[in-house]
Amino acid sequence: MEKRDKIYEGKAKILYTTDDPDLLIQYFKDDATAFNAAKKGTIDQKGIINNKISTKIFEMLGSHGVATHFVKSLSDREMLVKRVTIVPLEVIVRNRAAGSLCRLLGLPEGTGLVCPILEFSYKEDRLGDPMVNEYHIRALKFATDDEMEKIKALAFKINEALREFFKTINIELIDFKLEFGKYKNDIILADEISPDTCRLWEMGTGEKLDKDRFRRDLGNIEQAYQEVLRRVTQ
Ligand code: TMP
């Protein structure tokens, strides 16, 4: 697969065109940012680790009947993906209170929830990805009602599959962020699923195995990512 032009560079990944107009190469960088890029750094080997973790998770979700943009792994840092039009929403599912939900509602970190919470943010770095509800999404045409029905059903289905998967490797899935894309009249899962986009706590101890180690300067960041990779691929 020939790599052609860089069409997009985000905080953690780069997208390149290929000789097939329906396919892109997604390249994973070591760069890490937090708080809308106010904090910047790199996590050694992160690109390689997240490419491998995302690959494994997309394959697992595929086996559960969830359509994703993943086509195949190409190299340590590259995967071949379907070229989608990204729905400009960050779709967040929470199983336990952490991060911005704790700040929003003054909750202690780790507060239990009687059911999962689904949240949407409008993907616009200039505004810091503000939280929006389904009325904003409909009124401003960020997505159609039909697309939102598909996105909501997929988000909950993915949550169930991911929770179960992580449970088998002794990790509690606290929350995560998804991005969806439009592909030939369908909605499919895009972007990545990795310790950058999930909160993952060791069962029992609650030790953080995700990007909160970077956000909060907890140390042993690379080791935590490596540990997730080891378990995910064991
Ligand atoms: P939050 O608690 O900061 O809103 O984050 C919720 C989840 O979404 C958490 O697992 C981290 C992930 N996330 C991203 O992947 N990208 C982002 O830009 C943000 C703010 C959160």
Side-chain angles (χ1 to χ4, degrees), residues 90 92 94 98-100 175-177 196-199 215:
E90 300 210 331
I92 294 161
R94 301 179 187 273
S100 68
D175 59 32
F176 58 97
K177 183 264 299 183
D196 271 13
T197 64
C198 301
R199 284 196 174 90
R215 295 189 188 98

Side-chain angles (χ1 to χ4, degrees), residues 92-230:
I92 294 161
V93 182
R94 301 179 187 273
N95 296 305
R96 199 180 269 288
S100 68
L101 179 64
C102 293
R103 292 195 294 278
L104 184 72
L105 298 176
L107 301 169
E109 182 178 59
T111 300
L113 304 171
V114 299
C115 62
I117 293 175
L118 187 58
E119 281 175 13
F120 305 101
S121 296
Y122 175 48
K123 255 174 79 70
E124 178 49 85
D125 283 340
R126 203 166 41 85
L127 303 173
D129 299 340
M131 197 197 289
V132 291
N133 67 31
E134 289 187 59
Y135 292 89
H136 299 104
I137 294 168
R138 181 182 303 120
L140 295 162
K141 295 190 183 171
F142 296 153
T144 66
D145 288 355
D146 180 51
E147 287 164 354
M148 287 306 288
E149 289 312 311
K150 289 180 179 157
I151 286 172
K152 287 187 285 182
L154 280 167
F156 286 120
K157 181 170 180 177
I158 292 165
N159 186 38
E160 290 314 312
L162 278 182
R163 264 170 97 162
E164 203 47 50
F165 174 75
F166 280 115
K167 200 168 139 193
T168 64
I169 52 173
N170 212 40
I171 289 172
E172 182 177 350
L173 177 63
I174 303 302
D175 59 32
F176 58 97
K177 183 264 299 183
L178 302 171
E179 294 186 27
F180 291 92
K182 291 184 249 186
Y183 184 78
K184 301 182 195 285
N185 286 323
D186 209 0
I187 290 281
I188 66 176
L189 179 64
D191 194 52
E192 68 176 289
I193 298 185
S194 72
D196 271 13
T197 64
C198 301
R199 284 196 174 90
L200 304 169
W201 293 2
E202 174 83 45
M203 279 196 178
T205 66
E207 189 188 340
K208 295 178 187 359
L209 299 173
D210 58 61
K211 196 172 158 191
D212 270 349
R213 300 203 76 82
F214 169 79
R215 295 189 188 98
R216 303 199 204 167
D217 298 314
L218 300 177
N220 294 327
I221 308 169
E222 192 201 327
Q223 289 87 337
Y225 278 60
Q226 289 283 10
E227 179 59 18
V228 174
L229 172 61
R230 190 186 68 76

Side-chain angles (χ1 to χ4, degrees), residues 68-106:
T68 79
H69 72 157
F70 177 79
V71 177
K72 66 175 180 179
S73 176
L74 294 175
S75 70
D76 267 3
R77 291 178 182 272
E78 292 168 323
M79 60 169 65
L80 190 64
V81 297
K82 290 174 178 158
R83 182 175 190 151
V84 301
T85 304
I86 289 285
V87 175
L89 297 173
E90 300 210 331
V91 178
I92 294 161
V93 182
R94 301 179 187 273
N95 296 305
R96 199 180 269 288
S100 68
L101 179 64
C102 293
R103 292 195 294 278
L104 184 72
L105 298 176

